[in-house]
Structures are given as C-alpha cells and as structure tokens.
Amino acid sequence: MLINTKEMLIEAQRHGYAIPAFNIHNLETIQTVVETANRLHSPVILAATPGTVKYAGGENLIAITEAMAKQVNVPITFHLDHHENVEDIKALIELGCRSVMIDASKHPFEENIEIVRDVVNFAKKYGATVEAELGKLGGREDDLV
C-alpha cells in the first residue's frame, strides 16, 4: 500500500532533509526514478499529471508504483499533480492513490473552496493527503495553461 505525502514530509521535517518529487510518464521513468532514489537512500514522490494518467492509465501507474515500492528500501508514493476532474481523483484514491492535488483554480474562489472541501472530505476516508490550488498561477504544465 502506498503512503501519503504527509507522513513522508513530517518525517523529513523531523530529520532535516528534503523529498524530491518527479513527474513520471511511463514504466521506464518510474523505474529510473525509483531505482535512483533507492540507490541514494532517498524517499521520493512520483507525480503524475492528468496527461500522464490519460496516457498510461491511473490503475496501471498505481500498480507499477506499488510493485516498485515492494522492491526498494525507501518510502515512495504516487501523487496526482494538478488534477481538475473530481470524479477522476476520487476513482484514483479508491484505487490506492494517497496523495492528490486538486486544481480548481479556473472556478470562482468560493466554488474552488467547495470543490476542495469535497475532495478533502472524500480523501479523509482513505487516509489520502490533499494539496489544493486556491489561487491562480501563470504558466503551462502538461496540457494545463
């Protein structure tokens, strides 16, 4: 089972180290990141954008991450990065994802808060950590502008 990022970050803060997060895209990038993290004795966060999940399949990515976690001696977790679709987030949490970032920043602020609240309430049932985009940031990531 994957752990949530909160557990990882509390441990890192307690011991004074950082945890890298890398956007992964397929089996090969997951293997490379996890094998390198293990060699360096570093916990690691594997982050997947909506485009990555669409390309590789969320269930596949979670299964690969869980399998890799059993093969190494460092904590790893799977994180949804800048996801906007609440139903997709909930489905991935049900499949084992324990760290999500809901980006409802395209909505008016009050609606954004309500969407985040919905995701947080759902995630609590599964012990998942939620990060939220409450304001607006400029730039482009994956297919998000």
Side-chain angles (χ1 to χ4, degrees), residues 20 22 24 26-46 64-65 67-76:
F22 295 95
I24 49 85
N26 54 29
L27 171 63
E28 293 78 16
T29 56
I30 293 172
Q31 287 174 315
T32 300
V33 170
V34 171
E35 289 168 1
T36 302
N38 193 53
R39 190 173 70 250
L40 296 173
H41 308 290
S42 174
V44 68
I45 299 167
L46 304 178
I64 293 166
T65 304
M68 292 293 297
K70 293 175 186 174
Q71 299 171 32
V72 296
N73 297 316
V74 294
I76 67 171

Side-chain angles (χ1 to χ4, degrees), residues 3 13 20 27 35 54 79 96 113 131:
I3 62 173
Q13 185 178 31
L27 171 63
E35 289 168 1
K54 183 178 178 182
H79 173 75
I113 297 293
E131 173 188 0

